[in-house]
Amino acid sequence: MPTCLIIGAGLAGLTAARELTQHHWQVILLDKGRGVGGRMATRRIGTSRADHGAQYFSARTPEFQQLVHSMKEAGVVQEWNLAVGDSHPRFIGSGGMSSVPKYLAEGLDIRTGERVIHIQQENSGCTVRTETGTTYRADTLLITIPAPQASILLSDSGIQLTAHERSVFDTISYQPCIAVIAVLNQPSGIPAPGNIRYAEGPISWVADNQQKGIASDPITVTIHASPQYSREHLEGDLNEVGQDLLHHLSEWIPAGSVASYQVHRWRYSLADQRYPEPYLRFSGPFTMLLGGDGFGMGNVEGAFQSGLQMARALIV
Ligand SMILES: Cc1cc2nc3c(=O)[nH]c(=O)nc-3n(C[C@H](O)[C@H](O)[C@H](O)COP(=O)(O)OP(=O)(O)OC[C@H]3O[C@@H](n4cnc5c(N)ncnc54)[C@H](O)[C@@H]3O)c2cc1C
């Protein structure tokens, strides 16, 4: 039975793992996080929730439409008729965005709390070492972490890249995003359907998670700072940054209605520059592929497609 290690249990890694498992590969996913899903992240706040990474997704390709359809049937996702300016349906996880990766993770062998720090060739395959000191071995390695992080991992592992491989890494870049989750003691004034997108200024997005249908008591809102603001304030005092962003939204969220807030720093949010192919196959002595949302169409659907295409490239 062919064996595969996948670094990263976000949408790309989970999709690849499901496809390979269906074709009788033995797959282990390693993720540094406490749970699965990566940037499809939902925070629990008491009995309520807030999505602080990806907010919604579209499904334009047949394979993803098929998966979304089956997740809709299973009650995992639902439509959100939000104000974005076109008529494409947008989907959300029914219990927050993390419902999607949790559903996809069912039945897979996933080791969380395992940050991969070293990759090494061994015979015709590879071994990877994690921060906990554990070593894993497989014939094939899929890397689905953001390309800048993958670049550091490969360099720390002493893996030499060809000029082409280096140029792929140089193509991909990510925007940072500072996210604020505010807990309110009264409903927000954000108009239906519960989202506002800003073209300029310090904020790019605000969503009322109650109107979105994932938060009831307490009410929560999610605020995403613009890429420029996030870049300028990424290393700043997060408490002050949170206060500043909330201040800009006082029209919809009066100061007296904020019971508490938390701030999250995403160093990699949306891949604004991507490599057009769905993945990169390395030319080294063992089979190693790099994918994720830095490849192809980007976003949640792009991560899915990248994972699927990586798996299909391995299945003969
Ligand atoms: C603030 C924000 C807003 C967004 N909004 C949207 C949106 O509205 N719509 C949309 O479609 N997309 C949105 N996105 C992007 C979307 O979330 C991503 O495109 C998608 O989830 C990427 O999936 P992935 O599997 O490629 O990567 P990830 O989800 O990042 O998964 C990679 C995984 O690798 C793990 N990892 C990293 N390094 C290591 C290591 N060394 N060892 C082990 N594990 C490691 C991480 O913990 C993570 O779980 C947003 C993202 C953010 C952050």
Side-chain angles (χ1 to χ4, degrees):
M1 193 186 260
T3 56
C4 181
L5 285 172
I6 302 182
I7 309 176
L11 205 70
L14 291 169
T15 303
R18 278 165 60 95
E19 188 72 12
L20 289 171
T21 305
Q22 275 164 19
H23 286 81
H24 313 294
W25 280 56
Q26 196 181 323
V27 181
I28 297 177
L29 288 129
L30 304 171
D31 200 293
K32 68 178 182 183
R34 268 185 294 157
V36 299
R39 282 168 280 158
M40 293 188 84
T42 304
R43 284 254 165 100
R44 276 200 160 274
I45 296 151
T47 55
S48 196
R49 300 182 190 92
D51 287 332
H52 66 298
Q55 297 293 295
Y56 60 85
F57 55 90
S58 51
R60 294 163 203 246
T61 53
E63 297 95 337
F64 196 50
Q65 282 170 344
Q66 204 181 336
L67 174 66
V68 170
H69 177 75
S70 58
M71 290 195 294
K72 212 171 150 186
E73 301 265 285
V76 176
V77 303
Q78 63 196 53
E79 253 184 73
W80 186 20
N81 295 318
L82 78 176
V84 282
D86 67 41
S87 60
H88 254 288
R90 301 307 203 278
F91 299 93
I92 57 171
S94 301
M97 290 297 265
S98 66
S99 305
V100 173
K102 280 183 188 159
Y103 171 79
L104 298 178
E106 277 167 25
L108 297 175
D109 184 349
I110 304 174
R111 318 286 170 95
T112 52
E114 286 285 52
R115 179 194 294 269
V116 175
I117 53 170
H118 196 263
I119 301 167
Q120 197 178 333
Q121 185 214 341
E122 192 191 277
N123 303 325
S124 59
C126 68
T127 55
V128 309
R129 200 171 68 241
T130 65
E131 224 165 37
T132 62
T134 315
T135 300
Y136 297 87
R137 196 201 167 278
D139 309 322
T140 299
L141 181 64
L142 299 187
I143 306 175
T144 67
I145 67 182
Q149 292 178 318
S151 171
I152 295 168
L153 176 59
L154 293 173
S155 160
D156 288 351
S157 304
I159 292 177
Q160 303 289 326
L161 302 181
T162 64
H164 168 67
E165 289 159 1
R166 270 199 305 276
S167 77
V168 173
F169 279 101
D170 291 344
T171 322
I172 302 168
S173 70
Y174 283 82
Q175 297 171 343
C177 179
I178 295 174
V180 179
I181 296 171
V183 178
L184 309 187
N185 51 29
Q186 64 184 64
S188 82
I190 298 168
N195 78 291
I196 307 171
R197 186 189 286 289
Y198 296 87
E200 51 188 35
I203 292 163
S204 63
W205 168 267
V206 56
D208 178 325
N209 292 306
Q210 186 186 34
Q211 293 188 60
K212 190 174 180 179
I214 64 160
S216 48
D217 185 21
I219 295 162
T220 65
V221 292
T222 301
I223 302 158
H224 285 165
S226 68
Q228 189 185 338
Y229 183 98
S230 299
R231 213 164 275 126
E232 286 166 4
H233 295 83
L234 205 59
E235 309 306 334
D237 178 326
L238 290 186
N239 221 16
E240 281 173 22
V241 169
Q243 233 159 38
D244 183 45
L245 291 168
L246 281 163
H247 175 71
H248 284 282
L249 285 170
S250 55
E251 181 187 359
W252 310 114
I253 307 166
S257 68
V258 179
S260 65
Y261 65 89
Q262 41 182 285
V263 186
H264 184 85
R265 203 176 356 219
W266 293 101
R267 288 188 189 281
Y268 307 102
S269 65
L270 295 172
D272 54 350
Q273 306 280 340
R274 297 181 300 277
Y275 187 66
E277 300 298 325
Y279 59 86
L280 167 70
R281 185 191 277 263
F282 291 88
S283 62
F286 63 96
T287 306
M288 178 166 75
L289 274 60
L290 171 69
D293 67 337
F295 293 82
M297 63 198 295
N299 291 341
V300 165
E301 186 167 10
F304 166 85
Q305 278 296 346
S306 175
L308 183 66
Q309 300 309 329
M310 281 193 289
R312 286 187 175 168
L314 299 175
I315 298 161
V316 282

